[in-house]
Amino acid sequence: MRLAHSFAAVSIVGFALACADDSPTTTLEPFALETQQEGGQTASATAGLHWTIPPSAFGFPVDNRLTIAALRSDGDVRGRFVYEQAFLGNTFLFEGPITCLGVYDGFRAKTGGPVEKSNDPDVPVGTFIWWHVHDNGEGSGAAPDQATLPGLGDEAGNEAFCASPNRPLGRLWDTQGNAQVRALSAP
């Protein structure tokens, strides 16, 4: 039997479960996205987050880094994501465009899109990946921003995820870094 060393295995197990420095790695440098208010802009979400899941969850630590920049304007969504997960000597990297963005309660962003680059054979190019990110405020008195492990599926699942105001089914993890979620009108 093959020991589950893939990102997909950790992600699925993490979804079923109800650090280092806080700066992104060079691979995950935040990318620019024009988010100045423009006609028709309804929402934006940016994040540069890092979190380590302790060994008590999976039997080994799981390091996660997520960078997203997403903008919804005139009904169109654009942006990019880069996600890196490392455990048991393996590092998996996923990159692609943001194709869905839902913002709820003024601080929760649901975002995702198709994987364009993957080094994990269990998550091939074309798989859709999505996250739930919470912007818990700014400053030293604010609670840490939070993120879920990603969900995986097809385009219909990705769109349904972003369109639903439901709170996360999986666990929200406290992160280092910063998330900025803005809603100028309903999703």
Side-chain angles (χ1 to χ4, degrees):
M1 183 174 121
R2 182 178 152 217
L3 181 61
H5 282 242
S6 77
F7 154 80
V10 170
S11 181
I12 291 167
V13 171
F15 187 74
L17 292 174
C19 107
D21 66 72
D22 62 356
S23 62
T25 64
T26 54
T27 335
L28 302 177
E29 286 301 320
F31 13 81
L33 179 68
E34 294 178 26
T35 57
Q36 66 269 19
Q37 282 193 323
E38 48 185 75
Q41 179 181 335
T42 57
S44 67
T46 58
L49 303 174
H50 172 249
W51 68 101
T52 300
I53 298 171
S56 58
F58 300 111
F60 48 86
V62 179
D63 190 58
N64 300 272
R65 292 179 184 271
L66 173 63
T67 302
I68 59 172
L71 175 68
R72 190 175 59 242
S73 180
D74 293 325
D76 293 324
V77 176
R78 67 181 188 273
R80 300 282 306 164
F81 69 84
V82 177
Y83 178 64
E84 181 181 287
Q85 188 178 78
F87 58 92
L88 298 176
N90 299 294
T91 299
F92 299 102
L93 183 63
F94 310 92
E95 297 181 41
I98 298 289
T99 59
C100 74
L101 171 64
V103 173
Y104 304 95
D105 304 324
F107 72 98
R108 298 186 301 119
K110 292 176 133 185
T111 188
V115 174
E116 286 183 337
K117 293 181 183 178
S118 170
N119 66 344
D120 184 347
D122 291 331
V123 182
V125 168
T127 302
F128 280 75
I129 187 169
W130 52 81
W131 297 266
H132 201 141
V133 173
H134 285 195
D135 174 357
N136 290 322
E138 304 303 319
S140 60
D145 292 335
Q146 297 173 304
T148 60
L149 286 174
L152 299 168
D154 60 16
E155 184 175 14
N158 182 63
E159 295 302 318
F161 171 77
C162 287
S164 169
N166 293 342
R167 292 190 171 267
L169 294 175
R171 179 171 176 177
L172 279 164
W173 299 93
D174 288 349
T175 67
Q176 296 175 338
N178 190 35
Q180 295 279 320
V181 175
R182 302 286 181 259
L184 302 177
S185 67

